[in-house]
Amino acid sequence: MTVIEEPQDPYRGRKGGMTVTEEPWDGADGVRLRQAMRAELAARYDIPDQESEPPTAETITVFLIARDPAGEATGCGALRLLDDGTAEIKRMYVTPAARGTGVATRVLRALEEHARRHGVGTLLLSTGVRQPDAIRFYEREGYQRIDGYGPYAGEPLARCFTLQLG
């Protein structure tokens, strides 16, 4: 397990005892967080799973988990490398009790840094129309709205975003 941490970056690593670590996709906490995310999305959209090509341990480059000072997993996110210096952010999720505490920002910043280290210049992501909190979050973090890409092209429930990494 690798702790993603650089003291000069307030969005990553330890801050107030919180950590963001690279962990196995199939680890118990990752599975639990992704199941909770799927259950929440199924309730919001009244459909069991809205992704035709879900990420797997074989298709992601990194999977990160945020933990609170007690070691409880409070959020996660993954990065999938695509073609031509592009990567997609997948499975961003924060437990309801940890929302508004900076977990999502710290996971997002760690994913962006991982993408930079792999030569990625463009990040893509998709969220949905029934996730206004996620839409506001990505807009606040500098992501720009784009038309649907790949499996999200023409999908009326999808809201897609991009960020050019500097």
Side-chain angles (χ1 to χ4, degrees):
M1 177 181 344
T2 304
V3 175
I4 310 284
E5 177 178 25
E6 291 179 18
Q8 71 273 18
D9 185 342
Y11 293 106
R12 293 188 296 125
R14 294 181 190 273
K15 182 179 181 187
M18 184 188 305
T19 60
V20 175
T21 59
E22 183 174 344
E23 298 192 20
W25 175 262
D26 295 326
D29 286 329
V31 170
R32 181 181 53 77
L33 288 167
R34 292 191 309 276
Q35 286 173 341
M37 182 191 78
R38 279 192 301 277
E40 183 175 326
L41 293 177
R44 285 189 190 209
Y45 292 92
D46 197 30
I47 53 177
D49 196 351
Q50 55 279 11
E51 194 163 14
S52 59
E53 298 176 20
T56 65
E58 293 75 33
T59 62
I60 64 153
T61 304
V62 66
F63 182 64
L64 303 177
I65 292 183
R67 294 183 180 280
D68 68 15
E72 183 70 27
T74 57
C76 63
L79 189 69
R80 175 167 40 194
L81 292 179
L82 303 174
D83 297 327
D84 301 324
T86 302
E88 183 178 25
I89 293 175
K90 304 298 290 182
R91 297 305 190 250
M92 280 286 296
Y93 177 74
V94 175
T95 60
R99 291 177 186 165
T101 65
V103 171
T105 303
R106 304 237 306 269
V107 170
L108 185 64
R109 292 292 176 264
L111 290 170
E112 291 168 355
E113 183 57 31
H114 187 84
R116 282 184 189 93
R117 287 195 311 264
H118 280 82
V120 171
T122 303
L123 286 174
L124 300 172
L125 66 88
S126 176
T127 189
V129 297
R130 295 185 185 163
Q131 295 165 264
D133 44 346
I135 291 169
R136 282 190 307 273
F137 170 71
Y138 291 120
E139 288 173 341
R140 183 191 80 213
E141 296 304 317
Y143 284 71
Q144 302 296 311
R145 177 94 183 270
I146 58 171
D147 290 335
Y149 62 90
Y152 309 107
E155 174 53 57
L157 295 177
R159 291 296 176 263
C160 296
F161 292 85
T162 189
L163 180 73
Q164 299 301 311
L165 296 173

